[in-house]
Amino acid sequence: MAPTIALPFWAQSKPHHHHHHQHGEVSATPEAEVLRKRNEELEKELKKRVEREEKMKEELEKTWKRLKVAEEAEERLCSQLGEFEAEAVDQARAYRARVIDLVEQLSAAQKLLQSMASQ
């Protein structure tokens, strides 16, 4: 007897549930549409964000390459400057030696003139 009571209840509830499901589908369609649109918006947003990130990555790579070029140029300039400094030091030494040489020649000439004058 219990099964026969349970059966009508089950039979009753199933059409009711089915009907409710159909009704739910009708009300869920706009909801599904809203969700689908929201999903599309999120996907677009994500795509934009990914594209932005890609652009930023490209810019970063370009900047990094420029930095590398600048660093290499700086290294070249520094080594050139080092060469110029070494050259300048050499020239300064040569100039100083020449000046000392001329001063010595001058003092020798003065001594010679003095010795000639005193004769």
Side-chain angles (χ1 to χ4, degrees):
M1 196 161 176
T4 45
I5 293 167
L7 190 74
F9 172 71
W10 175 77
Q12 235 182 19
S13 74
K14 196 173 181 191
H16 175 71
H17 180 71
H18 188 67
H19 174 70
H20 179 72
H21 183 66
Q22 266 185 337
H23 181 70
E25 249 176 0
V26 170
S27 70
T29 306
E31 217 174 302
E33 191 63 26
V34 167
L35 281 172
R36 195 178 62 76
K37 276 184 179 171
R38 179 88 183 103
N39 213 23
E40 274 177 17
E41 281 169 23
L42 285 171
E43 275 177 23
K44 272 183 198 168
E45 192 61 42
L46 189 71
K47 204 175 172 187
K48 272 185 200 167
R49 201 169 287 181
V50 168
E51 280 170 11
R52 259 205 311 270
E53 275 179 18
E54 283 295 313
K55 268 184 191 170
M56 279 170 78
K57 224 159 91 175
E58 277 173 30
E59 282 300 311
L60 210 78
E61 275 174 24
K62 277 182 196 168
T63 305
W64 190 75
K65 277 176 189 168
R66 280 200 294 266
L67 192 71
K68 284 281 285 178
V69 168
E71 276 178 357
E72 282 164 16
E74 191 194 10
E75 277 172 24
R76 277 199 303 275
L77 280 172
C78 281
S79 69
Q80 279 179 349
L81 193 64
E83 284 167 25
F84 290 147
E85 280 173 352
E87 222 174 280
V89 167
D90 287 344
Q91 283 180 349
R93 280 201 190 115
Y95 179 74
R96 189 166 171 266
R98 180 95 178 104
V99 167
I100 290 166
D101 190 40
L102 288 169
V103 166
E104 282 172 356
Q105 280 181 32
L106 195 62
S107 69
Q110 276 178 329
K111 277 178 190 166
L112 187 67
L113 280 172
Q114 277 173 354
S115 69
M116 280 173 77
S118 66
Q119 272 179 357

